[in-house]
Amino acid sequence: MILGAAFVFTPQRAFFDYLWIYLFLVSIGVGSLALVALEYLVGATWSTPFRRITEIMASMTPVLILLAIPLLFGLHDLFHWTHAEAVEHDAILQSKSPYLNVPFFIARTAFCLLLWVLFYYMLTKNSEKQDLDGDPKYTKRNVTLSTIFAALFVITITITAIDWAMSLEPHWFSTIFGVYYFAGTVIAALAASTFASIKLKEGGYLDSHLGNDSFYSLGTLMFGFNVFWAYIAFSQFILIWYADLPEETFWMIHRWEGSWKFVSLALLFFHFVLPFLILVGRNAKTNLGLLKWMAPWMLFAHALDLYWLIFPTLFKGNASFGWQELSFPLIVIGLTMIVFKLSANKKNLMAVKDPKMEMGLDFHL
């Protein structure tokens, strides 16, 4: 209802809010699918007891097709490069028009979404079939699929980051923007799976042999990818600062003007400094009470990161958070819970006959 009211009274702002929601749910859905593929790719055993939960998180992926459709009606409100009169008098936009044009933009979005959904169904279907007979052939099939998906994921998540986030400022470019968004996506997916796994364990829905040590790698990956995100963010900043080119620095300057300066500082502390200090110790990564707090924290940090990426295009000079933005937590949390519950009701919460399950349950530090 809030988002609906926003579309009535402030349609342009509503489309930016909707884009914020869409990119966050891409992180949850497609990021989770990437984690599933990563387990098959590296042959990990510790993560086997958690894989079905990550698969359920990935069930957001097919929903993304429906979520993307309304955004296509807001391209003119979101993207300056869709304005023909602006392109006509702008040499930079003209040079980018072979890539930044509406038909090709829609085609790329459709390609990414269909590819993600296709691999989601193939990977999860093989995993669920293995629940019936435990045949290792399904693991082999998914290893092959994951090998293909790993390369395609890197390409498609980069396209998504460039198209839906970087092209909001079509005069600006960064060669590592895709990696930056990739790092945030993996962190969000890890945080969502960690939180769901802890809540399910507390509720007695997971195998009783699953101990706190099994959560150590989830905490370690969340910590490690967060450091990686900070490294990429700093690399992007320092290269722009060192080169000092006007066509690159203006993007950073927009995020250091007015109250945006406080959002930038908040991002530094909430996304990197505080999580680093809290999660750096070994015991922190097996403390489920602490991880249960840090997982939503990292999801909040990713939401703040996306806000920092998207909204300076709309709010020049100062950040703004009004009633319209309240739709973000309500829709993201509500939709994630609904999709998770509907998907979880149809399958086992653990891959019960996966050949690696016993080793995963016996994992100890």
Side-chain angles (χ1 to χ4, degrees), residues 171-172 243-251 253:
H171 292 89
W172 183 76
D244 197 23
L245 299 174
E247 60 267 33
E248 294 180 357
T249 55
F250 81 92
W251 192 88
I253 292 171

Side-chain angles (χ1 to χ4, degrees), residues 12-14 16-17 77 169 310-316 325:
Q12 187 182 28
R13 184 169 182 162
F16 274 82
D17 286 324
D77 290 295
E169 299 276 3
I310 294 169
F311 281 93
T313 304
L314 181 65
F315 304 134
K316 303 287 187 185
E325 282 67 54

Side-chain angles (χ1 to χ4, degrees), residues 17 26 52 62 112 120 122 153 170 172 176 183 212 233 296 329 358 365:
D17 286 324
V26 167
R52 184 57 48 78
C112 293
Y120 163 75
M122 288 193 294
F153 169 73
W172 183 76
I176 57 174
N212 288 12
E358 190 173 339
L365 294 174

Side-chain angles (χ1 to χ4, degrees), residues 45-46 208-217 282 286 358-365:
T45 55
W46 66 267
S208 58
H209 293 92
L210 189 66
N212 288 12
D213 285 358
S214 298
F215 288 84
Y216 174 80
S217 295
R282 173 173 170 164
T286 56
E358 190 173 339
M359 286 188 288
L361 291 173
D362 288 339
F363 177 82
H364 295 288
L365 294 174

